[in-house]
Amino acid sequence: MYKSALLGAYVLMGDYYNNDETSETYTTVGNVPNSCILDGCGYQLANTAPCHALRNILCPLDNVGLCSSVNDIFSHILALSSHMTQRFLFFIENLVLRDVNRHSEDLVAFSGCQPRSPMDCTDKSAFEDGPSSSSPEIHENRSMVVEEELLGNARFEVAKMLTVPLLCLKLASKFAVACWRLSLSYIRCTQLQLSSIMSRVQRTLHGSSDDIGWLQCNPDMAPVEDGTSRFLEVLEAIRNGEHRLPNSFLYLLIPGLFSNHGPLYFVGTKRFFSKMGLTCHIAKIHSEASVEHNAWELKQYIEELYWGSGKRVMLLGHSKGGVDAAAALSMFWDDLKGKVAGLALVQSPYGGTPVASDILREGQIADKETRRIMELIICKLIKGDIRALEDLTYEKRKEFILKNKLPDEIPFISFHSEASIAPGVLATMTHIAHAELPWLPLLKFGSENLDELELPGGQVPVAIPLSAAMAVCALHLQLRYGEKSDGVVTCRDAEVPGSVVIRPDRKLDHAWMVYSSRKKNPSEPNASEMCEAILTLLVEIGVERNNREKGDCVDQS
């Protein structure tokens, strides 16, 4: 195409060379034969009157020598305008073909053939050599071009027909791959969920099997000493009327969890000690608070009692109260040294309790729902702190005990018991409070010990099957873990390292020490006598230790 344009420009400028020989010179104005005038696209024009008129005008001028110069000027002007026109058309053609080819490549990407523009044949024929445009070779070339154009159009149509199925096939393959990947992701999610469920089931079934008795399994913990026989001797002497508990100490009873909702908690024991002329107090602490919070309150309470009376304090803590008292001694011993004479932990979960751990253990079935229920009960209804129960789990107790050591300057006693799981216990009612009935002034409810449980007119006991609940819990722990317990604390978790352990043969549940039962046997000691025996043994151990230390000092001197 570009060659044809240049060839046309040369012809219009008047010079045409063939086989390196100069042929007859044609000009577009003056010397063009009548049958060889070309239009702007190279096609032959018929003889016209203006051409003859122009020739007749220029011939006289040619005789005077001006024809050649004017002819050259017109020739150059016409050649330049024709060249500019051809270049402009060529530029427009390239722009159109570029856009067509770019849009066609997407449609024929799979077939590899490109559509042919209808301008191809026209452009080629437009720039063929002017003088030979009607030769047989040109017609043959035109026919070949037309065939190629038809073949290209056919390929283009076939490509369009094949493009839609190919695109559908491609989309179908992508959709199949996406479905396969989605199904694999669902399978993986299902596997993870099943694995999580199995892990939760195993963790729930396993429970606290590996945690119960961890204190005895730790080689760094001091061994315990059995003081059961001596305790039974002291208890028998007390029942025979021999009371040897000195008045040189101040006795502080520390209640356990939920004691704020039991108005009779330690009341009978305090009354019993007061009748013997002993100074006894019940610690007024928020039992549903955390162990560290109660430890700080007990530290301040002990200092107030010591500075107010000048007597050293003997501590007896039941359940969580014993844990709170031990925490106060281990955390603030520098401040309490010389003010505390000893500590007795009665049915205290010093190493932890499976009841709290099984309720609040993370990663088990319905762990979040169980925790929300306990938060509702403790925080909303009881107005306590959920950490009060968390601090009794094995995880928290391990962390606290390994971080805070008990002092070895004072004696410790650990008392634990085993609850009865006999069917008759399910009918036992526990007296936890009393209610005022002013419209029944003459009504009285008696008991076997009238001094302790006889109520004045207008009062009735509030009893609940607390012992029955403890028996059910003890049976559960026995069947699940094979451990003896009082219904809340296992026997092994109640033994404090380095302490003197009391293991009575009598079946006592976790609530027996602080609440009264309506079914009492006069031949058996009550809770007040048991507390007196424990504290008496604690005083004896402290005296023996002091004598032994003095003897060692004498021997060294």
Side-chain angles (χ1 to χ4, degrees):
M1 184 183 297
Y2 184 73
K3 180 179 179 182
S4 300
L6 292 179
L7 185 58
Y10 291 152
V11 171
L12 292 174
M13 291 176 67
D15 295 331
Y16 180 76
Y17 297 92
N18 186 15
N19 295 329
D20 297 335
E21 294 181 0
T22 304
S23 62
E24 182 180 0
T25 304
Y26 299 92
T27 60
T28 59
V29 178
N31 297 330
V32 178
N34 293 336
S35 61
C36 297
I37 298 177
L38 304 177
D39 64 354
C41 297
Y43 293 101
Q44 185 177 0
L45 298 175
N47 294 334
T48 59
C51 293
H52 289 287
L54 182 60
R55 184 176 182 182
N56 293 332
I57 294 172
L58 293 178
C59 287
L61 294 176
D62 189 20
N63 295 330
V64 295
L66 297 175
C67 181
S68 59
S69 60
V70 174
N71 192 16
D72 291 339
I73 292 173
F74 277 101
S75 299
H76 284 83
I77 292 173
L78 292 176
L80 181 60
S81 62
S82 177
H83 179 70
M84 293 177 62
T85 302
Q86 295 296 328
R87 296 302 299 173
F88 178 74
L89 292 176
F90 183 73
F91 175 72
I92 297 299
E93 177 190 6
N94 287 339
L95 289 179
V96 174
L97 289 176
R98 187 183 306 167
D99 294 337
V100 171
N101 291 333
R102 183 176 60 196
H103 292 290
S104 300
E105 287 177 357
D106 297 335
L107 296 176
V108 297
F110 297 99
S111 62
C113 62
Q114 298 180 353
R116 187 179 298 275
S117 173
M119 300 276 303
D120 292 347
C121 179
T122 305
D123 294 338
K124 288 186 177 181
S125 62
F127 291 99
E128 291 293 335
D129 296 341
S132 58
S133 61
S134 61
S135 61
E137 296 179 355
I138 298 301
H139 289 291
E140 183 178 358
N141 292 335
R142 287 182 180 177
S143 62
M144 294 176 63
V145 170
V146 172
E147 292 178 358
E148 291 179 358
E149 178 184 356
L150 295 176
L151 181 60
N153 292 335
R155 291 177 179 176
F156 179 71
E157 295 297 332
V158 173
K160 288 196 299 182
M161 294 174 60
L162 294 177
T163 299
V164 175
L166 290 175
L167 289 176
C168 293
L169 182 60
K170 185 178 180 180
L171 291 176
S173 63
K174 290 184 177 180
F175 180 74
V177 172
C179 292
W180 175 252
R181 291 178 178 175
L182 184 61
S183 61
L184 289 179
S185 65
Y186 281 148
I187 293 174
R188 293 192 187 98
C189 292
T190 304
Q191 290 177 348
L192 291 177
Q193 290 178 356
L194 291 176
S195 158
S196 176
I197 293 174
M198 293 300 297
S199 175
R200 287 178 176 272
V201 171
Q202 292 177 357
R203 190 172 179 84
T204 303
L205 294 177
H206 192 69
S208 304
S209 300
D210 297 335
D211 298 324
I212 298 176
W214 70 274
L215 290 171
Q216 288 76 19
C217 300
N218 193 335
D220 296 333
M221 298 297 173
V224 297
E225 180 182 353
D226 189 8
T228 306
S229 59
R230 178 55 186 163
F231 167 78
L232 295 178
E233 294 176 0
V234 173
L235 182 61
E236 184 64 25
I238 291 174
R239 288 185 60 81
N240 293 329
E242 184 180 350
H243 302 283
R244 295 184 298 171
L245 200 60
N247 193 21
S248 58
F249 297 104
L250 191 148
Y251 301 97
L252 180 62
L253 307 178
I254 307 168
L257 195 62
F258 308 134
S259 62
N260 295 332
H261 303 277
L264 297 184
Y265 207 124
F266 273 141
V267 172
T269 303
K270 178 183 178 182
R271 185 184 306 159
F272 180 77
F273 279 28
S274 298
K275 289 181 178 180
M276 293 189 299
L278 302 176
T279 306
C280 181
H281 295 273
I282 299 176
K284 302 298 181 181
I285 60 175
H286 189 38
S287 61
E288 289 80 28
S290 64
V291 171
E292 294 183 358
H293 179 269
N294 285 347
W296 171 256
E297 287 190 352
L298 283 175
K299 178 252 184 187
Q300 294 180 322
Y301 201 89
I302 292 170
E303 288 180 338
E304 290 178 2
L305 294 177
Y306 176 78
W307 295 115
S309 62
K311 299 178 180 180
R312 291 193 300 168
V313 182
M314 279 286 183
L315 305 177
L316 188 147
H318 175 258
S319 188
K320 183 177 178 290
V323 176
D324 294 339
L329 296 179
S330 59
M331 294 175 63
F332 308 107
W333 179 243
D334 292 339
D335 298 327
L336 298 178
K337 187 176 182 179
K339 302 180 180 68
V340 177
L343 170 62
L345 296 92
V346 179
Q347 298 174 322
S348 297
Y350 183 77
T353 170
V355 176
S357 297
D358 292 346
I359 292 175
L360 300 179
R361 181 177 292 106
E362 295 181 358
Q364 63 181 359
I365 297 176
D367 54 349
K368 296 181 180 179
E369 292 77 9
T370 305
R371 184 179 182 88
R372 283 197 290 266
I373 293 174
M374 296 307 301
E375 288 179 351
L376 176 64
I377 295 175
I378 297 177
C379 301
K380 300 298 182 181
L381 300 181
I382 304 179
K383 305 300 181 182
D385 190 350
I386 190 63
R387 291 181 298 176
L389 189 62
E390 282 183 348
D391 290 341
L392 301 181
T393 61
Y394 287 109
E395 182 181 0
K396 292 294 184 179
R397 291 307 301 160
K398 288 179 182 179
E399 180 182 356
F400 184 87
I401 292 174
L402 295 178
K403 182 180 178 181
N404 303 280
K405 301 294 183 180
L406 286 173
D408 54 0
E409 290 89 345
I410 59 175
F412 293 92
I413 286 181
S414 302
F415 179 96
H416 63 76
S417 61
E418 179 183 354
S420 175
I421 57 178
V425 182
L426 300 178
T428 303
M429 303 297 291
T430 303
H431 178 201
I432 63 171
H434 59 265
E436 296 286 344
L437 294 177
W439 59 86
L440 295 175
L442 301 177
L443 183 63
K444 293 184 179 181
F445 292 86
S447 64
E448 297 175 359
N449 191 344
L450 298 179
D451 293 335
E452 295 184 14
L453 294 180
E454 181 178 352
L455 299 175
Q459 293 184 352
V460 295
V462 177
I464 62 173
L466 189 59
S467 297
M470 294 297 157
V472 172
C473 292
L475 179 61
H476 166 72
L477 296 177
Q478 177 71 32
L479 295 177
R480 183 175 185 182
Y481 300 113
E483 293 288 337
K484 297 179 179 180
S485 67
D486 56 12
V488 177
V489 184
T490 62
C491 296
R492 292 198 293 167
D493 293 326
E495 296 183 358
V496 180
S499 66
V500 176
V501 179
I502 300 175
R503 307 180 181 97
D505 296 333
R506 184 181 173 187
K507 300 294 184 180
L508 302 173
D509 60 44
H510 192 76
W512 177 87
M513 179 62 68
V514 293
Y515 293 125
S516 301
S517 175
R518 299 188 64 187
K519 294 182 180 180
K520 302 186 66 174
N521 187 354
S523 62
E524 295 179 350
N526 56 29
S528 301
E529 294 172 344
M530 298 278 284
C531 289
E532 182 185 359
I534 293 173
L535 290 175
T536 302
L537 180 61
L538 185 63
V539 172
E540 288 184 1
I541 296 173
V543 172
E544 293 177 359
R545 176 176 293 187
N546 292 334
N547 294 333
R548 186 167 53 251
E549 291 178 356
K550 291 179 180 179
D552 294 339
C553 293
V554 172
D555 294 339
Q556 291 179 359
S557 60

